[in-house]
Amino acid sequence: MSNKAPSLLKDSCYFCTSTYQLFSILSLAISRKEKADLYIDPQFKDAEIFAQRIELLGIFDSVFIIDSKKIYSKYISRESGLINHLQIARTYFHVNSISKIIDCNNASYKNIFVSSRAFIPRLYILSCYKKKMDVKVYYFDDGVGSYYGNSALNPSKADGMVRKVLFGKKALDFDQDRYLMCPEMYKKINGETPYQVLGIDRFFDHPEYSDYLDKVFVPGKDVGLSESAVILEEISDTFGKKLDDLNALYQYTLEAFGPDDLLMKRHPRSKDEKRKGFRYYQKSELPFEILCIRNDMNKKVLISVGSTALSTPKMITGQEPYVILLYKFIQNEGMNQEPLDHFFMALKESYGNPDKVMMPASFDEYKECVEKILGEIRR
């Protein structure tokens, strides 16, 4: 991507695997004012275009697109289960070769910023450990998984054993400092930790950088949200026998708010047909975070079975919309309620008015929540 020749040693590098991570990465890079590089694993749509836009900002010394296809084609097939785990373990024997594909300019860094357990950045970090490099790893906000302590980082027993043998105890040390949009929520969920949990100074809160949202995400002019309520839709085929209940609830919600005051936002991976009578958000490629940043969300109503995007307004902008969660009585297959309870109770407790976060346990309770909210926002 970039033809700039790196210096022998730079301050930091950042690894990006999603558009959501860009909010954290840009904020950190701007506030730290370091000589840093950005590595993008093109797992998301238009990754190359995002790289070009970001490079024009001049925040990073260099912006690189990782040739992840080359890595996967050489080391990982599309097999699942045990074969896939064995292939991943095999890559640990080739981390030096893989790191040369990731960082083709052979730069070295004092600090590495990464989110959770993304595969390719993990291999790069392990290569640094193998080379006995003096590097400090930081974790940054990547959504709800970042708030469950180290659970998103911990490997399986077999994986952990291989890492320990090949790279030493350091490969299993996940007590690294982390930067989060909402450190208070993390502390509510996890209590005291042996590492620091630091806040992210959001770049879009500063007038001199606010236009970076337009330059990176190019949302256009029409990012207003006139509707009072937004349903964050989830993929239908994960609900099994509960799908009929969910459809009935959606229909009730449409009738309660009215077709002009309710918006349906599709799940990014949804292939479901659009529901008749519902207004759909048209800019599906635009991150939900942009909508939250560009609109007054405090009197909006967000509804979902259990999408952690419901926390986005509070975590990203400090705003407090009404939130209705359905997972207490409508579950999708494989849903684990316990971590959702921990997370959303922490969200509820973080609100100035905790009553705005609602978790009905039945369809009748849901109707009561809707009637209560309508009475407050339309009076």
PDB file of all heavy atoms in Angstrom, residues 62-78:
ATOM      1  N   SER A  62       3.005   4.971   7.855  1.00  0.00           N
ATOM      2  CA  SER A  62       2.665   4.110   6.722  1.00  0.00           C
ATOM      3  C   SER A  62       1.389   3.348   7.032  1.00  0.00           C
ATOM      4  O   SER A  62       1.110   3.030   8.197  1.00  0.00           O
ATOM      5  CB  SER A  62       3.786   3.102   6.426  1.00  0.00           C
ATOM      6  OG  SER A  62       4.986   3.757   6.062  1.00  0.00           O
ATOM      7  N   VAL A  63       0.632   3.044   5.995  1.00  0.00           N
ATOM      8  CA  VAL A  63      -0.575   2.229   6.112  1.00  0.00           C
ATOM      9  C   VAL A  63      -0.421   1.043   5.170  1.00  0.00           C
ATOM     10  O   VAL A  63      -0.173   1.223   3.973  1.00  0.00           O
ATOM     11  CB  VAL A  63      -1.847   3.026   5.753  1.00  0.00           C
ATOM     12  CG1 VAL A  63      -3.087   2.135   5.862  1.00  0.00           C
ATOM     13  CG2 VAL A  63      -1.983   4.255   6.651  1.00  0.00           C
ATOM     14  N   PHE A  64      -0.550  -0.161   5.713  1.00  0.00           N
ATOM     15  CA  PHE A  64      -0.335  -1.368   4.924  1.00  0.00           C
ATOM     16  C   PHE A  64      -1.584  -2.238   4.891  1.00  0.00           C
ATOM     17  O   PHE A  64      -2.296  -2.353   5.894  1.00  0.00           O
ATOM     18  CB  PHE A  64       0.813  -2.211   5.518  1.00  0.00           C
ATOM     19  CG  PHE A  64       2.127  -1.507   5.596  1.00  0.00           C
ATOM     20  CD1 PHE A  64       2.550  -0.937   6.787  1.00  0.00           C
ATOM     21  CD2 PHE A  64       2.952  -1.411   4.479  1.00  0.00           C
ATOM     22  CE1 PHE A  64       3.778  -0.281   6.870  1.00  0.00           C
ATOM     23  CE2 PHE A  64       4.170  -0.755   4.557  1.00  0.00           C
ATOM     24  CZ  PHE A  64       4.586  -0.194   5.755  1.00  0.00           C
ATOM     25  N   ILE A  65      -1.825  -2.849   3.747  1.00  0.00           N
ATOM     26  CA  ILE A  65      -2.823  -3.905   3.638  1.00  0.00           C
ATOM     27  C   ILE A  65      -2.092  -5.237   3.721  1.00  0.00           C
ATOM     28  O   ILE A  65      -1.198  -5.512   2.925  1.00  0.00           O
ATOM     29  CB  ILE A  65      -3.601  -3.823   2.303  1.00  0.00           C
ATOM     30  CG1 ILE A  65      -4.468  -2.566   2.259  1.00  0.00           C
ATOM     31  CG2 ILE A  65      -4.454  -5.074   2.109  1.00  0.00           C
ATOM     32  CD1 ILE A  65      -5.690  -2.627   3.160  1.00  0.00           C
ATOM     33  N   ILE A  66      -2.459  -6.051   4.702  1.00  0.00           N
ATOM     34  CA  ILE A  66      -1.819  -7.355   4.874  1.00  0.00           C
ATOM     35  C   ILE A  66      -2.283  -8.308   3.768  1.00  0.00           C
ATOM     36  O   ILE A  66      -3.470  -8.384   3.464  1.00  0.00           O
ATOM     37  CB  ILE A  66      -2.171  -7.951   6.254  1.00  0.00           C
ATOM     38  CG1 ILE A  66      -1.652  -7.032   7.375  1.00  0.00           C
ATOM     39  CG2 ILE A  66      -1.578  -9.355   6.406  1.00  0.00           C
ATOM     40  CD1 ILE A  66      -2.169  -7.421   8.746  1.00  0.00           C
ATOM     41  N   ASP A  67      -1.352  -9.024   3.211  1.00  0.00           N
ATOM     42  CA  ASP A  67      -1.697 -10.020   2.183  1.00  0.00           C
ATOM     43  C   ASP A  67      -2.165 -11.299   2.884  1.00  0.00           C
ATOM     44  O   ASP A  67      -1.501 -12.335   2.845  1.00  0.00           O
ATOM     45  CB  ASP A  67      -0.479 -10.296   1.291  1.00  0.00           C
ATOM     46  CG  ASP A  67      -0.830 -11.130   0.068  1.00  0.00           C
ATOM     47  OD1 ASP A  67      -2.016 -11.539  -0.062  1.00  0.00           O
ATOM     48  OD2 ASP A  67       0.060 -11.384  -0.758  1.00  0.00           O
ATOM     49  N   SER A  68      -3.319 -11.204   3.531  1.00  0.00           N
ATOM     50  CA  SER A  68      -3.803 -12.335   4.326  1.00  0.00           C
ATOM     51  C   SER A  68      -4.182 -13.529   3.454  1.00  0.00           C
ATOM     52  O   SER A  68      -4.086 -14.680   3.898  1.00  0.00           O
ATOM     53  CB  SER A  68      -4.992 -11.909   5.186  1.00  0.00           C
ATOM     54  OG  SER A  68      -5.984 -11.267   4.424  1.00  0.00           O
ATOM     55  N   LYS A  69      -4.595 -13.279   2.217  1.00  0.00           N
ATOM     56  CA  LYS A  69      -4.921 -14.396   1.315  1.00  0.00           C
ATOM     57  C   LYS A  69      -3.707 -15.291   1.100  1.00  0.00           C
ATOM     58  O   LYS A  69      -3.825 -16.513   1.033  1.00  0.00           O
ATOM     59  CB  LYS A  69      -5.425 -13.868  -0.027  1.00  0.00           C
ATOM     60  CG  LYS A  69      -6.846 -13.318   0.020  1.00  0.00           C
ATOM     61  CD  LYS A  69      -7.311 -12.914  -1.362  1.00  0.00           C
ATOM     62  CE  LYS A  69      -8.743 -12.388  -1.324  1.00  0.00           C
ATOM     63  NZ  LYS A  69      -9.199 -11.967  -2.678  1.00  0.00           N
ATOM     64  N   LYS A  70      -2.548 -14.680   1.003  1.00  0.00           N
ATOM     65  CA  LYS A  70      -1.317 -15.447   0.811  1.00  0.00           C
ATOM     66  C   LYS A  70      -1.047 -16.330   2.023  1.00  0.00           C
ATOM     67  O   LYS A  70      -0.622 -17.490   1.888  1.00  0.00           O
ATOM     68  CB  LYS A  70      -0.152 -14.490   0.583  1.00  0.00           C
ATOM     69  CG  LYS A  70       1.167 -15.183   0.285  1.00  0.00           C
ATOM     70  CD  LYS A  70       2.245 -14.151  -0.045  1.00  0.00           C
ATOM     71  CE  LYS A  70       3.573 -14.832  -0.377  1.00  0.00           C
ATOM     72  NZ  LYS A  70       4.632 -13.826  -0.702  1.00  0.00           N
ATOM     73  N   ILE A  71      -1.314 -15.798   3.223  1.00  0.00           N
ATOM     74  CA  ILE A  71      -1.091 -16.557   4.453  1.00  0.00           C
ATOM     75  C   ILE A  71      -2.070 -17.728   4.536  1.00  0.00           C
ATOM     76  O   ILE A  71      -1.682 -18.869   4.796  1.00  0.00           O
ATOM     77  CB  ILE A  71      -1.227 -15.641   5.681  1.00  0.00           C
ATOM     78  CG1 ILE A  71      -0.120 -14.573   5.664  1.00  0.00           C
ATOM     79  CG2 ILE A  71      -1.158 -16.456   6.982  1.00  0.00           C
ATOM     80  CD1 ILE A  71      -0.296 -13.480   6.692  1.00  0.00           C
ATOM     81  N   TYR A  72      -3.343 -17.440   4.307  1.00  0.00           N
ATOM     82  CA  TYR A  72      -4.353 -18.498   4.424  1.00  0.00           C
ATOM     83  C   TYR A  72      -4.173 -19.561   3.343  1.00  0.00           C
ATOM     84  O   TYR A  72      -4.314 -20.760   3.612  1.00  0.00           O
ATOM     85  CB  TYR A  72      -5.761 -17.894   4.344  1.00  0.00           C
ATOM     86  CG  TYR A  72      -6.200 -17.234   5.631  1.00  0.00           C
ATOM     87  CD1 TYR A  72      -6.261 -15.853   5.741  1.00  0.00           C
ATOM     88  CD2 TYR A  72      -6.547 -18.000   6.735  1.00  0.00           C
ATOM     89  CE1 TYR A  72      -6.666 -15.246   6.921  1.00  0.00           C
ATOM     90  CE2 TYR A  72      -6.946 -17.402   7.925  1.00  0.00           C
ATOM     91  CZ  TYR A  72      -6.999 -16.022   8.013  1.00  0.00           C
ATOM     92  OH  TYR A  72      -7.388 -15.435   9.182  1.00  0.00           O
ATOM     93  N   SER A  73      -3.866 -19.152   2.135  1.00  0.00           N
ATOM     94  CA  SER A  73      -3.726 -20.138   1.060  1.00  0.00           C
ATOM     95  C   SER A  73      -2.530 -21.057   1.292  1.00  0.00           C
ATOM     96  O   SER A  73      -2.539 -22.225   0.886  1.00  0.00           O
ATOM     97  CB  SER A  73      -3.573 -19.431  -0.294  1.00  0.00           C
ATOM     98  OG  SER A  73      -2.378 -18.660  -0.327  1.00  0.00           O
ATOM     99  N   LYS A  74      -1.520 -20.552   1.985  1.00  0.00           N
ATOM    100  CA  LYS A  74      -0.316 -21.351   2.212  1.00  0.00           C
ATOM    101  C   LYS A  74      -0.427 -22.238   3.446  1.00  0.00           C
ATOM    102  O   LYS A  74       0.113 -23.357   3.472  1.00  0.00           O
ATOM    103  CB  LYS A  74       0.886 -20.421   2.351  1.00  0.00           C
ATOM    104  CG  LYS A  74       2.218 -21.165   2.397  1.00  0.00           C
ATOM    105  CD  LYS A  74       3.385 -20.191   2.300  1.00  0.00           C
ATOM    106  CE  LYS A  74       4.715 -20.944   2.285  1.00  0.00           C
ATOM    107  NZ  LYS A  74       5.867 -20.023   2.160  1.00  0.00           N
ATOM    108  N   TYR A  75      -1.153 -21.754   4.480  1.00  0.00           N
ATOM    109  CA  TYR A  75      -1.117 -22.463   5.760  1.00  0.00           C
ATOM    110  C   TYR A  75      -2.470 -22.983   6.256  1.00  0.00           C
ATOM    111  O   TYR A  75      -2.516 -23.893   7.074  1.00  0.00           O
ATOM    112  CB  TYR A  75      -0.526 -21.545   6.844  1.00  0.00           C
ATOM    113  CG  TYR A  75       0.896 -21.133   6.578  1.00  0.00           C
ATOM    114  CD1 TYR A  75       1.197 -19.878   6.053  1.00  0.00           C
ATOM    115  CD2 TYR A  75       1.945 -22.009   6.846  1.00  0.00           C
ATOM    116  CE1 TYR A  75       2.505 -19.496   5.808  1.00  0.00           C
ATOM    117  CE2 TYR A  75       3.261 -21.635   6.602  1.00  0.00           C
ATOM    118  CZ  TYR A  75       3.542 -20.375   6.079  1.00  0.00           C
ATOM    119  OH  TYR A  75       4.842 -20.004   5.828  1.00  0.00           O
ATOM    120  N   ILE A  76      -3.584 -22.382   5.796  1.00  0.00           N
ATOM    121  CA  ILE A  76      -4.897 -22.735   6.344  1.00  0.00           C
ATOM    122  C   ILE A  76      -5.867 -23.071   5.215  1.00  0.00           C
ATOM    123  O   ILE A  76      -6.092 -22.250   4.316  1.00  0.00           O
ATOM    124  CB  ILE A  76      -5.497 -21.575   7.168  1.00  0.00           C
ATOM    125  CG1 ILE A  76      -4.544 -21.163   8.285  1.00  0.00           C
ATOM    126  CG2 ILE A  76      -6.860 -21.969   7.723  1.00  0.00           C
ATOM    127  CD1 ILE A  76      -4.456 -22.128   9.438  1.00  0.00           C
ATOM    128  N   SER A  77      -6.445 -24.289   5.251  1.00  0.00           N
ATOM    129  CA  SER A  77      -7.481 -24.639   4.285  1.00  0.00           C
ATOM    130  C   SER A  77      -8.834 -24.283   4.890  1.00  0.00           C
ATOM    131  O   SER A  77      -8.911 -23.729   5.983  1.00  0.00           O
ATOM    132  CB  SER A  77      -7.431 -26.134   3.963  1.00  0.00           C
ATOM    133  OG  SER A  77      -7.858 -26.888   5.079  1.00  0.00           O
ATOM    134  N   ARG A  78      -9.907 -24.631   4.224  1.00  0.00           N
ATOM    135  CA  ARG A  78     -11.242 -24.291   4.724  1.00  0.00           C
ATOM    136  C   ARG A  78     -11.820 -25.378   5.612  1.00  0.00           C
ATOM    137  O   ARG A  78     -13.010 -25.381   5.908  1.00  0.00           O
ATOM    138  CB  ARG A  78     -12.189 -24.027   3.560  1.00  0.00           C
ATOM    139  CG  ARG A  78     -11.744 -22.848   2.707  1.00  0.00           C
ATOM    140  CD  ARG A  78     -12.815 -22.398   1.765  1.00  0.00           C
ATOM    141  NE  ARG A  78     -12.413 -21.205   1.050  1.00  0.00           N
ATOM    142  CZ  ARG A  78     -13.251 -20.320   0.548  1.00  0.00           C
ATOM    143  NH1 ARG A  78     -14.540 -20.509   0.687  1.00  0.00           N
ATOM    144  NH2 ARG A  78     -12.822 -19.261  -0.098  1.00  0.00           N
TER     145      ARG A  78
END
